[in-house]
Amino acid sequence: MVVRNRGTFLLLLVAFCYGVTMAMGLREEKDQARWRSQREEMINKRKKESKSGSGRTGENWFLLRDYKSIVETDAGAVRVVRTRGDSKNRPMHIGFVTMEPNTLFIPQYLDSSLILFLHRGQARLGYICNDELTERQLGDGDVYRIPAGSAFYLENTGEGSRLEIISSIDASDSFGMGLFQSFFIGGGTYPTSVLSGFEPQTLTTSFNVSMDEIRKIMSKTRRGPFVHVNEKSPSTWTKFLKQKQGDRLQHLKRIVETHREDEISQVQEQPKFSWRRLLGSMLGQKINLKTDNNKCPQAYNLYSKNPDFSNNYGSSIALERSDYSPLRHAGIGVYLVNLTAGAMMAPHVNPVATEYGIVLRGTGRIQIVHPNGTSAMNAKVRQGDVFWIPRYFAFCQIASNSGPFEFFGFTTSAHRNRPQFLVGANSLLHTLNGPELAASLGVSEERVKRVLDAQHESVILPAPAETRSEEKEKKKMMEKLAKLMNAGFAKF
């Protein structure tokens, strides 16, 4: 009787366990079906938003195409791309300055600090630093910072060539009057000088000249902030550029002396570069005139920096505060990446900063992934396109097979970025490799190791094998064609 009861009990126990297992299996299937349904719904939603451009998650959200023309004349132009980000990121926009040959961007100061990258051309930059007029000759690849509130001018010195500059615009100190605000020291009817707002008696007293002289000086500039430097019929600004450096400072000094300190007290900057300090010095202290101020920073040439990483498939350069001290004050980093045809910057994450990029050359694709594992963007980009990558989002850049892909940009931190690569020989998956990773993937450790060890390259990865073989075949065909053509020409 006892044996029979024990057998019945075991049978009931087995039946109960089977029932529980089936119930758990059905529940798991329901959960998986619900998860798949939610995922498909989210993917479809992302696709709709991407096509329509609406919402915060479509491809248009990560490709920045909201260009605003600030100035556009026959001598030069300024365009600004509004950037996006969250409340944790400081406001920063991307500016593009183009100047025709023999032109001057007249003296002004901004309520925002700038980091200039000279993409193409030659320029002379003059600005006030440590109570002195400092001039720097800039060329291709040079990086330079102009603090907010520092008066400056810019001249295109390239012989017959256009000047092209890309800049970050840190609007954290701006008055909230738009993207940024220019305060023109020079000017006339267009642009209007900040001097124009003072009463006539204030100006005549300040300059110690008649009102008629003031009108003659302040009414000639009518074609915008970019003026042609014409040798045959020299303008006021042509004569200004021909003056000795000390005389140019005195010229700016006479203009600055008309400003009252309470009119510009809102412009804030580090004490070393303060407009308030500059004004006080000019009004009450003796000014030391030097041909060059060694205390002011030199430009940093990005092209001359040794790559932080380089292999047969491309190179990557990062400029941070330990490399260039002005970035310490700006809190902004700079980077430059070159990829060969078909190469890929391996999928990675920026744990420190948000990244803004500008395509300088070639075409490629930018892929960005949402935290939930869905695609945020998979878009083709070309020269001139601007994109941004939010901090912590996984992403990669892929060059097209047609040629090299080069892009430059800014990051919202001057500290070392330390990107975390998700794929490649140096990926964090290698660091995490163990039974825990295998368990999370639901496969054996041997299989995980086999997959991770298949990629021997790191950071910048080669094009797929089939693409490389296609390129080799193309190269061979072109070589054969060239030989045939040469042989044909030889007969003639």
Side-chain angles (χ1 to χ4, degrees), residues 118-146:
L118 206 71
H119 179 210
R120 192 175 287 113
Q122 302 290 320
R124 178 171 66 175
L125 169 69
Y127 85 107
I128 303 295
C129 174
N130 293 339
D131 305 335
E132 297 167 8
L133 178 63
T134 299
E135 289 191 337
R136 295 287 182 256
Q137 301 296 327
L138 305 180
D140 291 357
D142 277 342
V143 175
Y144 204 83
R145 177 177 182 252
I146 302 176

Side-chain angles (χ1 to χ4, degrees), residues 298-314:
Q298 300 290 331
Y300 192 104
N301 191 270
L302 199 61
Y303 296 152
S304 64
K305 187 179 188 297
N306 290 327
D308 297 282
F309 179 85
S310 179
N311 62 14
N312 293 331
Y313 315 108

Side-chain angles (χ1 to χ4, degrees), residues 95 112 147 232 274 277 305 378 380 442:
S112 305
K232 295 181 180 179
S274 172
R277 182 172 180 267
K305 187 179 188 297
N378 182 9
K380 185 176 181 179

Side-chain angles (χ1 to χ4, degrees), residues 244-485:
K244 293 180 180 179
Q245 189 169 352
D247 295 334
R248 285 200 295 275
L249 179 60
Q250 293 295 345
H251 182 92
L252 291 177
K253 174 192 172 185
R254 287 195 297 272
I255 297 175
V256 172
E257 282 176 342
T258 65
H259 287 67
R260 296 181 306 221
E261 185 169 347
D262 61 340
E263 291 290 323
I264 49 86
S265 60
Q266 296 179 67
V267 181
Q268 299 175 356
E269 183 52 69
Q270 289 79 7
K272 185 176 180 181
F273 302 107
S274 172
W275 182 265
R276 182 195 294 271
R277 182 172 180 267
L278 166 65
L279 182 65
S281 172
M282 286 188 169
L283 291 176
Q285 299 176 11
K286 183 179 178 181
I287 300 172
N288 296 319
L289 300 178
K290 297 181 180 179
T291 56
D292 189 20
N293 187 353
N294 292 324
K295 295 180 182 179
C296 295
Q298 300 290 331
Y300 192 104
N301 191 270
L302 199 61
Y303 296 152
S304 64
K305 187 179 188 297
N306 290 327
D308 297 282
F309 179 85
S310 179
N311 62 14
N312 293 331
Y313 315 108
S315 62
S316 174
I317 294 173
L319 192 63
E320 54 201 39
R321 64 181 195 171
S322 60
D323 302 308
Y324 188 45
S325 60
L327 297 181
R328 186 185 303 271
H329 301 292
I332 292 173
V334 178
Y335 70 91
L336 178 69
V337 175
N338 279 281
L339 302 178
T340 61
M344 172 197 298
M345 177 70 79
H348 61 288
V349 174
N350 287 330
V352 176
T354 293
E355 177 177 316
Y356 297 92
I358 302 98
V359 180
L360 300 181
R361 180 173 55 129
T363 60
R365 298 195 75 83
I366 308 294
Q367 295 184 6
I368 308 173
V369 179
H370 282 298
N372 61 10
T374 60
S375 174
M377 184 178 85
N378 182 9
K380 185 176 181 179
V381 292
R382 56 183 58 82
Q383 184 175 335
D385 281 346
V386 181
F387 59 90
W388 74 293
I389 316 291
R391 185 180 178 185
Y392 305 126
F393 275 51
F395 69 103
C396 70
Q397 300 99 338
I398 308 168
S400 65
N401 296 324
S402 58
F405 184 41
E406 181 181 22
F407 52 96
F408 158 88
F410 304 97
T411 59
T412 57
S413 173
H415 293 276
R416 189 176 178 185
N417 192 27
R418 296 183 183 277
Q420 301 294 306
F421 285 90
L422 306 175
V423 180
N426 67 331
S427 72
L428 58 84
L429 291 182
H430 276 282
T431 308
L432 293 172
N433 191 16
E436 297 82 6
L437 179 62
S440 70
L441 295 172
V443 297
S444 66
E445 290 184 57
E446 291 75 16
R447 175 165 290 184
V448 174
K449 186 176 186 307
R450 187 163 62 250
V451 171
L452 294 182
D453 291 346
Q455 180 57 263
H456 303 293
E457 300 292 340
S458 61
V459 183
I460 300 177
L461 310 181
E466 56 269 21
T467 303
R468 294 200 301 273
S469 62
E470 287 176 7
E471 291 298 320
K472 287 179 181 178
E473 287 298 322
K474 272 188 194 176
K475 190 175 180 181
K476 286 180 181 178
M477 287 178 64
M478 294 300 292
E479 288 175 352
K480 287 181 180 179
L481 183 60
K483 286 180 180 179
L484 289 171
M485 290 178 68

Side-chain angles (χ1 to χ4, degrees), residues 9 25 37 220 245 420:
F9 174 76
S37 176
K220 289 188 175 182
Q245 189 169 352
Q420 301 294 306

Side-chain angles (χ1 to χ4, degrees), residues 19-89:
V20 170
T21 303
M22 290 295 294
M24 290 179 66
L26 289 172
R27 183 177 179 181
E28 185 176 350
E29 285 182 6
K30 288 181 179 178
D31 289 342
Q32 288 180 353
R34 184 169 61 252
W35 181 83
R36 283 195 297 267
S37 176
Q38 290 174 349
R39 179 182 172 87
E40 288 174 2
E41 183 180 348
M42 186 170 291
I43 290 173
N44 291 332
K45 183 181 178 183
R46 301 289 185 256
K47 288 179 179 178
K48 288 180 181 178
E49 289 173 340
S50 176
K51 291 177 181 177
S52 64
S54 62
R56 294 172 56 91
T57 51
E59 291 184 355
N60 288 349
W61 178 251
F62 298 97
L63 285 178
L64 302 173
R65 288 170 173 159
D66 184 11
Y67 285 86
K68 182 175 180 180
S69 179
I70 306 299
V71 177
E72 190 168 359
T73 70
D74 61 342
V78 177
R79 293 186 306 153
V80 174
V81 177
R82 298 173 184 266
T83 63
R84 301 187 178 106
D86 55 40
S87 58
K88 295 181 181 179
N89 292 328

